[in-house]
Amino acid sequence: MAKFDSNLDLCFSALGDPTRRMILQRLARGAASVSELAKPHDMALPSFMGHLRKLEDAGLITSTKQGRTRVCELTPDAFTPARDWLSEQSTVWEGRLDRLDDYVTTLMKEREK
């Protein structure tokens, strides 16, 4: 079961920060250089690089060096483990809510009698 997957922990931890989510939103439009990604964020480059490192460690992005420029892009299917885990949880909770609804409906019918 995916709930004990350390990669899943890294993914959710990486997604837990608004700066990293903004980076991912930008990369959803296509690859970008580190300087382009850092431009809208008011922070020192070493701090920004820490955000990129966390995204790379989680397997959400990859970076390559092209000459003197480092270019980042989304990793294909990077969100699949998180999506699969969330889908499993959704199924579990839908079942629980359906059973609760059935129970409440039964109680209401018994009360009417």
Side-chain angles (χ1 to χ4, degrees):
M1 185 166 187
K3 72 179 181 179
F4 298 111
D5 184 358
S6 64
N7 290 335
L8 190 58
D9 292 343
L10 290 172
C11 179
F12 281 117
S13 177
L15 293 172
D17 182 85
T19 299
R20 292 190 285 270
R21 290 192 304 269
M22 287 177 63
I23 293 168
L24 293 171
Q25 286 176 325
R26 168 51 193 89
L27 291 176
R29 297 191 316 256
S33 68
V34 169
S35 59
E36 182 183 343
L37 292 170
K39 193 173 190 174
H41 304 281
D42 186 28
M43 67 178 67
L45 189 58
S47 297
F48 186 77
M49 293 300 292
H51 287 289
L52 293 179
R53 194 171 315 108
K54 187 136 186 170
L55 290 169
E56 266 193 288
D57 290 347
L60 298 175
I61 67 169
T62 57
S63 67
T64 55
K65 192 121 178 179
Q66 296 177 357
R68 293 177 31 167
T69 305
R70 182 157 296 279
V71 176
C72 300
E73 61 186 335
L74 284 177
T75 303
D77 301 321
F79 297 101
T80 299
R83 187 189 67 229
D84 291 348
W85 185 84
L86 289 168
S87 178
E88 286 176 24
Q89 296 309 304
S90 178
T91 301
V92 167
W93 281 98
E94 284 173 11
R96 288 175 179 169
L97 290 172
D98 287 345
R99 288 190 300 278
L100 177 61
D101 185 49
D102 292 344
Y103 176 71
V104 170
T105 301
T106 301
L107 286 178
M108 295 303 288
K109 285 180 182 176
E110 288 177 2
R111 206 176 250 190
E112 291 174 359
K113 290 181 182 179

